[in-house]
């Protein structure tokens, strides 16, 4: 029942995408079906007139309709004019069929675009923990494959409407000619269709499995391409190739099954329908007193009705197989929006920030134990503090909280006395420049990468930050200097060079707070010292927070906070902490 509701909701949401276009398609489908019926009805007067040109046998029913229509238009009721009439109707009918198919594509592909845009934006502006949980491979699959099927579902739904309307017209025509025989035909075709349809396994379940395998293929591909270097170095190609083979085999089996079922459905339908039509020919000739031309047109209508029912059945089966993809997208969009509503994004504007203060901040990742406990520290503009401690102590989590990628479970983070949660998120993030240990380098030029936080920067400003960040140290080795393409995730740069590009772009951002989270870990100590000296000598000094394992990096900081198991165990300058012989002194001893 829930399944059915979800399916109907998915189709309903899709159909509501552009109501006017949807209505136009349905109306055009109806007119096309009507013209198809009129075209088919022309056969009756044509056959009658062909048999006895001078005296029409009767002037009621369908025949009467045509005689009256021709008289009204002032056209002679003769064979050649009847042929011209059917040609005219068919011309309009096929022109409308073309137009309907075109509009169906506009609607279906437009909906696909809309879904892609909505999903992309939801993820872009949604909570970061959702991406962590779901994984980028699954999201990519949703964005590319599932939205593609989403557009297909809509086109298929309109095709089903068109096919259904044609079926109704054939049925009406047959009913006008012989209601009893139509009832017999309808019951026989209906029963055979239902028996065949429900004799097969449901398409929705098979479609759902197919959607799952798609996810797996996407995940394996992404892992394999992104981790290609480690995969080669650890000789994992065989393992990944095996996983891919299994996934592709499953995909093959599931989709062959789906198509086999569709083909079985199609052919069984055709077969049973043909039997029904032959039965009708026998019954029609033996038990009804219909004229040959009437019976001929009746059988022709039933002949056309039978493939329509078959097509309808196959289309509905195909739609059922595609629906899981759309249901998943809607579920995903719903989930993101529910989580998003818990995040506040709008808020007060931010002026320049002088002081940051953590007051008793505690935090745990969803469902995990506490990572930060009662953390308090302060940093002001022009100051430099350092967070040090063993791996996993919670230092980078502090950065995530500061960047509002996560929210504390307890305590407050204040900027000049105001909780940062009260600020507009975008404005707040404009105030902080964070450099992570493995920064992301965009696939573009050095200039594009350095200016991502300040596109209007002048050449002089760019050169200046590149000098401070020691990018200039390797600039002359780049073929096109600032215009050099850095490749996917900076594949043309070394780890230390990427870190320097990231520092340069952080400095260019004109922020108030600078966070260096292991930002110089891959630089040699000389270059690292030059980078830090350059930053300290900048005119508009930041409030700087440095995180480093290498204690020599931060020994000049104004205050050093030692983190152990999510708590700050001590604070002081390098000399004070060495003198106090606590955790910092222990760390220092192990490094010297
Ligand atoms: N996204 C996440 N989801 C769940 N747990 C996480 C997540 N990120 C970090 N953690 C956990 O939080 C704890 C603190 O991690 P964090 O990265 O803050 O430590 P750190 O002191 O910066 O370590 P390192 O010096 O190694 O970078 C670790 O136990 C880690 O496993």
């Amino acid at each position: 029942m829930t399944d059915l509701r979800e399916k109907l909701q998915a189709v309903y949401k899709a159909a509501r995408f552009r109501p006017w276009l949807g209505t136009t398609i349905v109306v055009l489908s109806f007119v096309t079906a009507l013209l198809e019926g009129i075209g088919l009805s022309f056969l009756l007067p044509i056959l009658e007139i062909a048999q006895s040109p001078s005296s029409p046998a009767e002037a009621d029913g369908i025949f009467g309709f045509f005689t009256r229509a021709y008289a009204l238009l002032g056209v002679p009721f003769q064979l050649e004019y009847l042929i011209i009439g059917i040609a005219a109707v068919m011309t309009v009918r096929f022109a409308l069929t073309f137009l309907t198919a075109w509009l169906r594509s506009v609607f279906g592909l437009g909906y696909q675009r809309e879904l892609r845009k909505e999903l992309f934006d939801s993820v872009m502006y949604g909570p970061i923990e959702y991406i962590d949980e779901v994984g980028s491979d699954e999201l990519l699959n949703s964005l590319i494959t599932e939205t593609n099927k989403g557009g297909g579902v809509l086109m298929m739904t309109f095709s089903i409407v068109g096919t259904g309307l044609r079926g109704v017209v054939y049925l009406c025509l047959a009913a006008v000619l012989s209601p009893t025989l139509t009832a017999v035909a309808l019951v026989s075709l209906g029963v055979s269709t239902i028996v065949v349809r429900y004799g097969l396994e449901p398409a929705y379940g098979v479609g759902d499995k197919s959607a799952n395998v798609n996810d797996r293929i996407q995940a394996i591909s992404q892992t394999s391409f992104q981790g290609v270097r480690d995969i080669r170095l650890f000789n994992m190609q065989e393992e990944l190739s095996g996983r891919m083979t299994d996934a592709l085999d499953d995909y093959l089996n599931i989709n062959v099954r789906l198509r086999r079922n569709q083909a079985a459905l199609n052919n069984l339908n055709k077969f049973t329908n043909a039997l029904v039509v032959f039965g009708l020919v026998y019954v029609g000739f033996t038990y009804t007193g219909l004229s040959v031309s009437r019976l001929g047109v009746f059988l022709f209508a039933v002949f056309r009705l039978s493939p329509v029912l078959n097509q309808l059945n196959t289309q509905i089966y195909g739609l059922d197989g595609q629906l899981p993809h759309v249901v998943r997208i809607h579920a995903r969009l719903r989930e993101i929006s529910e989580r998003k509503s818990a995040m506040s994004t709008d808020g007060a504007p931010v002026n320049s920030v002088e002081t940051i203060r953590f007051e008793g901040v505690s935090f745990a990742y969803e469902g995990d134990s506490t990572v930060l406990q009662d953390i308090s520290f302060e940093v002001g503009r022009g100051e430099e503090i350092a967070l040090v401690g063993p791996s996993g102590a919670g230092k980078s989590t502090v950065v995530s909280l500061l960047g509002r990628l996560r929210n504390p479970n307890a305590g407050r983070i204040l900027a000049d006395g105001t909780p940062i949660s009260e600020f507009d998120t975008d404005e707040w993030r404009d105030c902080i420049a964070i450099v992570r240990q493995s920064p992301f380098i965009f696939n573009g030029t050095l200039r594009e990468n350095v200016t991502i936080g300040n596109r209007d920067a002048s050449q002089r400003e760019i050169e200046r930050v590149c000098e401070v960040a020691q990018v200039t140290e390797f600039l002359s080795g780049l073929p096109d200097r600032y215009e050099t393409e850095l490749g996917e995730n900076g594949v043309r740069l070394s780890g230390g060079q990427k870190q320097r590009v990231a520092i340069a772009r952080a400095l260019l951002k004109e922020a108030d707070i600078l966070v260096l989270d292991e930002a110089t870990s891959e630089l040699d100590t000389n270059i690292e010292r030059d980078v830090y000296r350059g930053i300290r000598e900048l005119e508009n000094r930041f409030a700087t927070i440095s995180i480093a394992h290498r204690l020599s990096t931060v020994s000049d900081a104004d205050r050093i906070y030692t983190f152990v198991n999510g708590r700050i165990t001590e604070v002081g300058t390098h000399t004070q902490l060495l003198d106090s012989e606590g955790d910092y002194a222990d760390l220092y001893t192990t490094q010297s």
Side-chain angles (χ1 to χ4, degrees), residues 132 365 368 371 389-398 406 437 518 549:
D132 286 351
Y365 289 99
D368 285 354
V371 170
S391 183
K395 305 174 301 284
S396 297
T397 304
V398 167
R406 312 269 180 174
Q437 180 173 13
E518 293 288 357
H549 278 123

Side-chain angles (χ1 to χ4, degrees), residues 171-186 290 294 298:
L171 208 61
C172 292
L173 183 63
V176 169
L177 290 165
S178 171
T180 324
L181 214 48
T182 304
V184 175
L186 193 62
L290 289 175
R294 274 180 162 250
F298 172 81

Side-chain angles (χ1 to χ4, degrees), residues 120-162:
F120 184 80
D121 285 350
S122 299
V123 175
M124 274 294 100
Y125 296 104
I128 198 121
E129 59 263 34
Y130 185 79
I131 304 177
D132 286 351
E133 261 170 47
V134 174
S136 58
D137 36 23
E138 208 175 306
L139 291 173
L140 201 60
N141 185 39
S142 275
L143 193 70
I144 306 297
T145 314
E146 289 177 342
T147 50
N148 186 19
K149 308 261 182 189
V153 158
L154 204 53
M155 290 195 254
M156 233 182 250
T157 306
F158 283 116
S159 291
I160 289 172
V161 170

Side-chain angles (χ1 to χ4, degrees), residues 214-330:
N214 255 332
D215 271 352
R216 266 170 61 206
I217 292 176
Q218 183 82 44
I220 299 167
S221 314
Q222 211 169 331
T223 305
S224 307
F225 301 150
Q226 284 181 349
V228 67
R229 284 175 183 75
D230 288 318
I231 287 167
R232 298 265 165 104
L233 292 172
F234 282 89
N235 280 330
M236 287 174 70
Q237 294 98 316
E238 204 176 308
E239 183 187 324
L240 283 159
S241 177
R243 273 172 33 200
M244 185 54 121
T245 309
D246 288 347
L248 289 175
D249 284 349
D250 287 350
Y251 185 80
L252 180 74
N253 291 335
I254 288 165
N255 282 281
V256 166
R257 208 159 92 202
L258 195 63
R259 279 173 179 68
R260 181 204 63 197
N261 290 353
Q262 278 172 344
L265 182 70
N266 192 358
N267 286 293
L268 276 169
N269 264 324
K270 280 185 182 160
F271 173 65
T272 52
N273 292 350
L275 288 184
V276 170
V277 170
F278 289 134
L280 287 174
V281 171
Y282 175 74
V283 173
F285 275 116
T286 318
Y287 300 107
T288 65
L290 289 175
S291 68
V292 174
S293 52
R294 274 180 162 250
L295 190 61
V297 176
F298 172 81
L299 288 174
F300 197 69
V302 176
F303 240 97
R304 301 293 295 260
L305 176 64
S306 139
V308 161
L309 282 182
N310 174 32
Q311 198 182 349
L312 207 56
N313 221 355
T314 315
Q315 281 175 338
I316 292 174
Y317 192 80
L319 177 73
D320 209 25
Q322 303 274 42
L323 272 176
H325 297 276
V326 193
V327 169
R328 275 163 174 246
I329 299 177
H330 287 302

